[in-house]
């Protein structure tokens, strides 16, 4: 019997995901589209935001959606009701999309011509932050009903994103939610972040968000979000 | 529970390393460095690792040793180094400015595998 041997190494875990994410981004770049990872807790209104945004899109800026859910196709069906091209990824036991799931879909599905591809992640403020998909932009939604303390409780996802969209702003008068407090907490983690305050019920804030994302798509200002 | 995906990645990496050795070997321990700003719960990771390792014949007796690394940042305005945490709302205790650059806390690496060669 030989004695134990110590292998001193330095291997980054999840590196495989990061390499696949780079591969996906090359794919998105070849297709000439802006890939946007939409992340939030369950029920913050990601699908509603996409549906409302689609209605305001200029004709020369079509969108498509890759929809990540653990089970079922309910959100894809909601999007297709509005004739939005949408493709389901069922993640099964996984609580997030990963780059492999997106790569598999990209290699088996011909996406329609579009300028913006929304990657609607599984509703979760923790795990999606750790798995880049190859996106150019990372957007986090925080609904008014969730509470203004969430940025401090879930700092990683708010640290590593390009914009935060406060949704369900029509409920502000009925909730103890301080926009100022939430923005201050997010700014302490991520001073360069953009903010939008929207309601898909009243339509407030949607044109500003639409203008920003269309401008990003047109300029295709991309930031590689592989690791930090 | 992305700790399950991380536990699987650790076991896959160990298996790859063992497959590259000349002699049939088992892993008896693995050291993994986990940054605090990495959304990884150490207890959940250990639980997932111990559950999954049963499916890896060369890792059945492998112990997972975690080294936890605190979150440290350089602040945006003053470039002061500080421990960033919820206690100070991630702001610099010296000047109150926001996180500029993370110095540590994003680690998620295997640093050592202890291998025992079979008879």
């Amino acid at each position: 019997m030989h004695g134990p041997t110590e292998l001193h190494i330095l291997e980054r875990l999840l590196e495989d995901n990061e390499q696949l994410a780079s591969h996906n981004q090359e794919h998105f770049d070849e297709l000439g589209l802006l890939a946007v990872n939409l992340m939030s807790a369950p029920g913050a209104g990601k699908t509603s935001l996409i549906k409302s945004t689609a209605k305001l899109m200029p004709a020369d800026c079509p969108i498509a959606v890759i929809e990540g859910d653990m089970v079922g196709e309910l959100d894809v069906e909601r999007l297709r009701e509005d004739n939005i091209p949408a493709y389901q990824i069922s993640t099964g036991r996984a609580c997030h999309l990963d780059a492999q799931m997106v790569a598999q879909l990209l290699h088996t599905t011909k996406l329609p011509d579009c300028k913006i591809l929304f990657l609607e992640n599984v509703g979760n403020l923790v795990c999606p932050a750790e798995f880049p998909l190859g996106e150019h932009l990372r957007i986090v939604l925080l609904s008014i009903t969730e509470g203004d303390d969430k940025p401090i409780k879930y700092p990683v996802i708010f640290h590593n994103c390009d914009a935060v969209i406060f949704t369900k702003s029509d409920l502000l008068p009925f909730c103890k939610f301080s926009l100022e407090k939430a923005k201050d907490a997010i700014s302490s983690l991520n001073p360069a972040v953009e903010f939008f305050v929207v309601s898909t019920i009243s339509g407030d804030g949607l044109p500003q968000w639409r203008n920003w994302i269309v401008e990003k798509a047109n300029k295709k200002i991309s930031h590689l979000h592989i690791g930090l | 529970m992305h700790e399950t995906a991380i536990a699987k990645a650790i076991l896959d990496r160990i298996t790859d390393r063992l497959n590259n050795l000349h002699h049939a070997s088992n892993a008896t321990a693995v050291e993994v460095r986990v940054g605090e700003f990495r959304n990884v719960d150490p207890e959940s990771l250990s639980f997932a690792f111990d559950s999954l390792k049963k499916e890896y014949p060369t890792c059945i007796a492998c112990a997972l040793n975690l080294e936890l690394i605190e979150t440290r940042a350089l602040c945006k305005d003053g470039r002061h180094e500080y421990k960033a945490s919820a206690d100070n709302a991630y702001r610099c205790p010296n000047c109150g400015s926001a996180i500029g650059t993370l110095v540590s806390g994003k680690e998620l690496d295997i640093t050592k595998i202890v291998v025992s060669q079979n008879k």
Side-chain angles (χ1 to χ4, degrees):
Chain A
M1 181 74 181
H2 296 268
T5 309
E6 292 188 352
L7 304 177
H8 291 268
I9 57 175
L10 182 62
E11 285 198 17
R12 290 177 59 214
L13 291 162
L14 306 186
E15 196 174 27
D16 295 351
N17 186 78
E18 290 167 11
Q19 285 170 356
L20 265 172
S22 288
H23 168 79
N24 289 345
Q25 191 169 71
E26 285 169 18
H27 203 104
F28 296 140
D29 288 343
E30 280 167 22
L31 292 171
L33 56 81
L34 181 81
V36 181
N37 190 351
L38 280 186
M39 299 171 286
S40 78
K46 296 184 292 300
T47 311
S48 296
L49 180 74
I50 294 171
K51 281 167 73 87
S52 298
T53 305
K55 290 189 175 83
L56 298 175
M57 277 292 163
D60 65 350
C61 195
I63 71 165
V65 182
I66 291 177
E67 181 67 49
D69 278 305
M70 292 178 81
V71 181
E73 299 208 352
L74 293 173
D75 286 350
V76 156
E77 288 165 11
R78 283 176 64 199
L79 293 163
R80 288 179 184 157
E81 282 169 9
D82 290 359
N83 297 316
I84 300 168
Y87 306 88
Q88 182 73 49
I89 295 177
S90 294
T91 62
R93 284 187 304 169
C95 47
H96 54 271
L97 285 173
D98 68 28
Q100 171 67 39
M101 297 173 194
V102 174
Q104 197 173 348
L105 187 133
L106 291 175
H107 286 282
T108 53
T109 307
K110 188 181 182 311
L111 294 176
D113 282 337
C114 64
K115 265 194 178 171
I116 300 176
L117 176 67
F118 288 108
L119 306 161
E120 184 181 338
N121 221 310
V122 179
N124 183 337
L125 283 176
V126 182
C127 310
E130 297 295 330
F131 293 85
L133 309 174
E135 66 273 5
H136 301 104
L137 290 176
R138 295 164 68 86
I139 313 280
V140 180
L141 278 64
L142 176 61
S143 62
I144 297 310
T145 48
E146 288 169 60
D148 51 24
D149 56 348
K150 294 303 170 289
I152 292 295
K153 289 185 176 176
Y154 301 91
V156 178
I157 203 162
F158 289 98
H159 168 72
N160 185 20
C161 67
D162 298 283
V164 172
I165 304 178
F166 297 102
T167 57
K168 310 186 188 183
S169 68
D170 49 299
L171 296 177
L172 272 168
F174 311 103
C175 299
K176 281 185 181 171
F177 187 102
S178 163
L179 272 177
E180 192 185 351
K181 183 178 162 192
K183 284 180 178 177
D184 184 63
I186 295 165
S187 296
S188 69
L189 291 157
N190 186 352
V193 74
E194 299 268 352
F195 291 116
F196 299 94
V197 183
V198 309
S199 164
T200 59
I201 302 293
S202 68
D204 286 352
L206 289 172
Q208 290 87 335
W209 147 248
R210 184 269 322 268
N211 292 347
W212 184 81
I213 197 73
V214 168
E215 191 188 331
K216 289 285 184 194
N218 286 335
K219 287 187 180 172
K220 196 129 177 355
I221 301 168
S222 63
H223 301 285
L224 193 59
H225 278 282
I226 306 301
L228 281 176
Chain B
M1 269 298 285
H2 66 303
E3 285 82 359
T4 306
I6 295 167
K8 186 174 180 307
I10 297 169
L11 289 159
D12 287 340
R13 293 297 182 89
I14 297 173
T15 307
D16 285 350
R17 285 278 173 168
L18 295 181
N19 286 343
N20 288 332
L21 297 177
H22 294 301
H23 301 285
S25 307
N26 294 315
T28 56
V30 60
E31 293 194 3
V32 175
R33 207 163 56 167
V34 182
E36 200 178 46
F37 207 72
R38 201 68 217 222
N39 276 340
V40 175
D41 177 49
E43 211 168 297
S44 300
L45 180 57
S46 297
F47 179 79
F49 183 86
D50 287 341
S51 304
L52 282 176
K53 71 182 182 184
K54 294 166 193 154
E55 296 168 21
Y56 291 75
T58 57
C59 300
I60 288 169
C62 186
L64 173 66
N65 300 321
L66 298 177
E67 181 192 358
L68 305 180
I69 310 285
E70 69 178 15
T71 307
R72 298 194 67 80
L74 287 178
C75 74
K76 180 172 166 280
D77 296 337
R79 307 305 287 171
H80 304 111
E81 188 178 328
Y82 66 104
K83 176 173 164 44
S85 74
D87 294 340
N88 51 25
Y90 297 94
R91 288 192 176 270
C92 174
N94 300 302
C95 65
S97 100
I99 290 179
T101 317
L102 282 179
V103 177
S104 66
K106 291 297 290 182
E107 296 79 0
L108 192 54
D109 314 304
I110 297 181
T111 53
K112 187 163 81 180
I113 303 171
V114 182
V115 172
S116 168
Q117 197 176 304
N118 293 349
K119 280 184 209 171

